[in-house]
Amino acid sequence: MKIALAQLNYHIGNFELNTKKIIETIHAAKAKKVDLVVFAELAVCGYPARDFLEFTEFIELCDKAVVAIAAECKGIAAIVGCPSVNPKIEGKNLFNSAYFLEKGRVKAKVHKTLLPTYDVFDEYRYFEPNTQFELVELMGKKIALTICEDLWNVDEDPLYVKAPMDELIHLRPDLMINIAASPFDYRHREDRLEVLSNNCEKYNLPLIYVNHIGAQTELVFDGGSMVMNANGHLIDELKYFEEDFSIVEFNSGLCAFEAKEVSIGGAWQNEDNDKPLDVSGLETIERIYNALVLGIRDYFQKSGFSKATLGMSGGIDSAVVLALAAEALGKDNVLPVLMPSQYSTNHSVDDSMDMINLIGCKHETIAIKDIFDSFQTALKPQFKDLPFNLTEENMQARIRGVLLMAISNKFGYILLNTSNKSENAVGYGTLYGDMCGGLSVIGDVYKTQVFALARYINRNGIIIPENIITKEPSAELRPDQKDSDSLPEYEALDKVLYQYVELRKSSREIIAQGVDEVLVKRILKLVNTNEYKRHQTPPILRVSPKAFGIGRRMPIVGKYLS
């Protein structure tokens, strides 16, 4: 039996596009004498559809698309993910389903059992869990068909819940097929390989796994669809961050696939997650880079925009965002705007221009000194002789935000936010100023990782001038200002943030690792007291296991300071 893995980029709610892609792939597979083509979880409607799933018309369009796809499955079978309704169930009557299509019709439906509600997931809000377990049959072979988390549970997990395969294995299947919508983070490939390999060994069955690629607002899906034999050895692995298509020949037995095992590039086991954040690994930074480029590109294409603007300060954050945007959208579709003040240094302007010239994009320069002076004059009756402080610094940031949003509105550009995760964590940013924008590109990238990204961007030649990378970070909102005036050194800051945000360690646990108690409590207080700012940030492209945004839900007025 020839089985094709179809790893495609879907668009939520774009039934015409998604159906067209699926049908074209079915025809291509049929031309190659494929017997079964496998698509990803909720491929028909896109993932995550969220509250679209509460609209009756949306579900009707899903049904209509499945009927159209099934009509093309003559002489070939397909597995495709789509919501399904069971009108006999009261309350939530919607399932996250895998449709088995053959002979022009829906031959079977398998529903997802384990509905995730952790981190970015909220499937139990919409779907009912499966309670009945049956196999799918094709060409005399029995297939255990599961959906994403249904094959992620392992016995060693302290939160282990009985998985569908524990039931299906009693029906003596020949093959496992898992369709998934598994979002990217920079550790996820190793997790995925390890868990799926362990389950192949546990059930002594080969596996076909098909995942999404593409970005859906904050979430990036990296692909990495794969084939494993019953020993848990990787037979085939599809591309990352690209659409891909692969065919394998399936037979019965331990070595079920007629293909050579492939190298997986190192051990599957993760590094000790409790170790301090390590940003030096080239593979991790390369993954983050590819995810961010895909995230920007898909956000624009799926939103119907083509051009971006951003504030260009001469610092490393805006430089990295400019480089990423130019790669994702093309240099002619990115407009950096320089907005120097009386506190901006000459080298910041020069460094910005050096990078703009290296990339070859257009730019605008709008000095803000006169605007800032007029604001100060207007507020003189209220401020009187009060000293210059954070208020005046924030005024400059908000002036820049107004100018950038004006350009965005007038010319139809999306404003890219350039704040990093370290700044977002401790509130080192101005609401309605440097925190504004339509998309936060590096909001899930720590400052130390931003430096590593800059080095990676320059791997084949200088794109970001060396002076931007090596000079001390500064917001340049007052004379001789440095980030270190207000914040701990970024290397120390990021290590504590990683322990608290990603690993959810308490102050006591972090201090026990040898970190200074005063520093830890200062940082954690900054994180918790600035939650109100993060509730007002643009969508953040998620690249870590725990990003700010939909996957981290904290109360604004909570008292707990860990």
Side-chain angles (χ1 to χ4, degrees):
M1 180 165 56
K2 291 177 73 173
I3 303 175
L5 290 74
Q7 178 177 288
L8 302 180
N9 188 342
Y10 305 102
H11 186 186
I12 295 170
N14 192 338
F15 294 100
E16 182 179 356
L17 173 67
N18 296 341
T19 303
K20 182 172 182 285
K21 278 191 171 191
I22 292 168
I23 289 175
E24 287 179 349
T25 304
I26 289 171
H27 289 168
K30 188 174 179 179
K32 294 180 180 294
K33 309 297 184 184
V34 166
D35 300 299
L36 173 65
V37 57
V38 184
F39 299 90
E41 177 183 6
L42 294 181
V44 169
C45 64
Y47 186 96
R50 297 191 176 134
D51 282 8
F52 278 170
L53 295 166
E54 296 179 345
F55 287 81
T56 301
E57 183 185 28
F58 188 86
I59 303 304
E60 290 172 350
L61 290 169
C62 288
D63 293 340
K64 183 179 178 180
V66 168
V67 170
I69 294 166
E72 305 298 322
C73 294
K74 296 174 182 176
I76 189 172
I79 292 170
V80 61
C82 185
S84 68
V85 174
N86 186 341
K88 296 180 181 179
I89 296 178
E90 295 183 3
K92 283 185 298 182
N93 62 359
L94 195 65
F95 291 94
N96 180 344
S97 302
Y99 281 72
F100 181 65
L101 311 176
E102 188 188 19
K103 298 180 180 178
R105 63 183 180 86
V106 176
K107 187 175 180 181
K109 283 186 284 188
V110 172
H111 307 312
K112 190 171 184 177
T113 303
L114 304 179
L115 301 174
T117 57
Y118 61 89
D119 197 64
V120 298
F121 303 103
D122 205 3
E123 288 193 30
Y124 196 70
R125 175 184 175 96
Y126 309 104
F127 299 116
E128 190 70 16
N130 173 58
T131 57
Q132 298 180 345
F133 302 96
E134 297 177 350
L135 301 179
V136 170
E137 292 194 30
L138 180 66
M139 299 175 65
K141 304 297 183 184
K142 295 187 291 185
I143 300 169
L145 178 55
T146 58
I147 304 174
C148 208
E149 278 77 11
D150 286 352
L151 200 62
W152 271 74
N153 273 23
V154 290
D155 292 350
E156 293 78 12
D157 188 335
L159 300 178
Y160 179 75
V161 177
K162 194 169 187 179
M165 277 307 304
D166 294 338
E167 300 287 346
L168 294 171
I169 196 66
H170 299 303
L171 303 177
R172 304 179 66 81
D174 300 298
L175 169 69
M176 296 184 292
I177 293 180
N178 183 265
I179 63 172
S182 187
F184 166 82
D185 69 63
Y186 55 73
R187 294 186 185 274
H188 195 52
R189 178 176 183 259
E190 286 73 21
D191 289 338
R192 187 160 51 204
L193 287 166
E194 183 176 6
V195 169
L196 296 181
S197 174
N198 287 344
N199 276 311
C200 286
E201 289 188 88
K202 173 182 177 180
Y203 300 113
N204 195 31
L205 286 174
L207 167 69
I208 286 175
Y209 165 88
V210 176
N211 191 25
H212 284 246
I213 78 105
Q216 310 288 3
T217 312
E218 308 98 324
L219 300 183
V220 179
F221 296 87
D222 60 344
S225 303
M226 68 184 77
V227 180
M228 285 184 171
N229 66 21
N231 286 328
H233 295 162
L234 192 63
I235 299 298
D236 190 18
E237 185 176 28
L238 276 62
K239 294 176 182 176
Y240 283 81
F241 306 106
E242 295 181 42
E243 290 192 326
D244 203 2
F245 180 86
S246 182
I247 299 172
V248 291
E249 187 83 30
F250 173 71
N251 301 299
S252 296
L254 187 65
C255 298
F257 298 105
E258 294 180 1
K260 294 181 180 179
E261 294 181 19
V262 297
S263 169
I264 61 165
W268 294 3
Q269 287 73 26
N270 274 331
E271 298 175 3
D272 182 356
N273 285 352
D274 289 344
K275 289 182 179 178
L277 180 63
D278 176 16
V279 299
S280 61
L282 176 61
E283 189 174 23
T284 295
I285 295 303
E286 182 179 29
R287 291 177 187 178
I288 292 174
Y289 175 85
N290 289 330
L292 294 176
V293 169
L294 177 59
I296 296 169
R297 184 179 295 134
D298 267 18
Y299 186 82
F300 276 74
Q301 289 180 354
K302 293 176 180 179
S303 299
F305 289 85
S306 61
K307 295 182 181 293
T309 189
L310 71 151
M312 190 72 181
S313 68
I316 193 167
D317 295 324
S318 58
V320 165
V321 172
L322 174 59
L324 291 165
E327 177 66 23
L329 306 174
K331 65 180 182 180
D332 294 332
N333 292 317
V334 184
L335 180 70
V337 181
L338 284 68
M339 296 169 288
S341 73
Q342 59 266 52
Y343 306 116
S344 300
T345 58
N346 289 334
H347 67 73
S348 291
V349 175
D350 293 342
D351 291 341
S352 295
M353 288 307 306
D354 286 346
M355 182 172 177
I356 288 167
N357 291 332
L358 284 167
I359 288 181
C361 59
K362 296 178 181 178
H363 77 283
E364 296 289 347
T365 301
I366 308 172
I368 70 166
K369 180 182 182 301
D370 290 346
I371 303 173
F372 180 49
D373 288 345
S374 69
F375 273 42
Q376 289 183 297
T377 299
L379 288 165
K380 181 72 173 176
Q382 288 74 34
F383 287 3
K384 297 183 171 41
D385 296 320
L386 292 172
F388 184 107
N389 65 4
L390 186 61
T391 302
E392 284 76 14
E393 294 182 25
N394 287 340
M395 284 166 56
Q396 295 169 71
R398 290 185 177 122
I399 288 167
R400 289 175 171 137
V402 168
L403 295 173
L404 289 169
M405 286 308 303
I407 288 172
S408 171
N409 293 160
K410 184 64 72 175
F411 301 109
Y413 294 176
I414 288 181
L415 174 58
L416 297 178
N417 179 271
T418 62
S419 299
N420 61 64
K421 189 172 188 175
S422 306
E423 294 171 345
N424 287 340
V426 297
Y428 192 63
T430 303
L431 279 174
Y432 328 118
D434 53 321
M435 293 181 70
C436 66
L439 179 68
S440 176
V441 176
I442 56 172
D444 195 29
V445 182
Y446 290 111
K447 187 76 169 190
T448 41
Q449 291 176 309
V450 174
F451 283 102
L453 267 175
R455 294 294 184 192
Y456 179 80
I457 289 166
N458 283 352
R459 66 197 182 280
N460 296 321
I462 299 298
I463 294 175
I464 300 176
E466 184 67 17
N467 194 50
I468 290 179
I469 300 174
T470 57
K471 67 184 176 185
E472 189 170 354
S474 170
E476 295 189 334
L477 297 173
R478 63 174 184 267
D480 301 319
Q481 184 183 30
K482 300 290 185 292
D483 288 6
S484 55
D485 297 340
S486 305
L487 300 176
E489 294 293 337
Y490 280 113
E491 190 163 331
L493 173 65
D494 287 355
K495 288 178 180 178
V496 174
L497 291 175
Y498 176 74
Q499 292 286 320
Y500 184 53
V501 177
E502 259 89 331
L503 303 183
R504 276 83 78 195
K505 300 290 186 183
S506 67
S507 59
R508 177 177 51 80
E509 292 172 299
I510 300 171
I511 293 164
Q513 297 176 17
V515 186
D516 178 71
E517 179 177 353
V518 173
L519 176 67
V520 170
K521 292 189 173 180
R522 175 191 173 197
I523 292 172
L524 268 55
K525 184 175 182 180
L526 285 171
V527 174
N528 290 316
T529 55
N530 281 285
E531 189 63 40
Y532 74 100
K533 286 188 178 182
R534 290 188 291 273
H535 275 245
Q536 301 181 65
T537 57
I540 296 171
L541 291 176
R542 178 185 183 268
V543 297
S544 79
K546 181 60 68 175
F548 293 126
I550 58 172
R552 188 177 186 272
R553 306 173 191 181
M554 295 291 184
I556 293 177
V557 296
K559 177 67 175 174
Y560 172 66
L561 294 179
S562 186

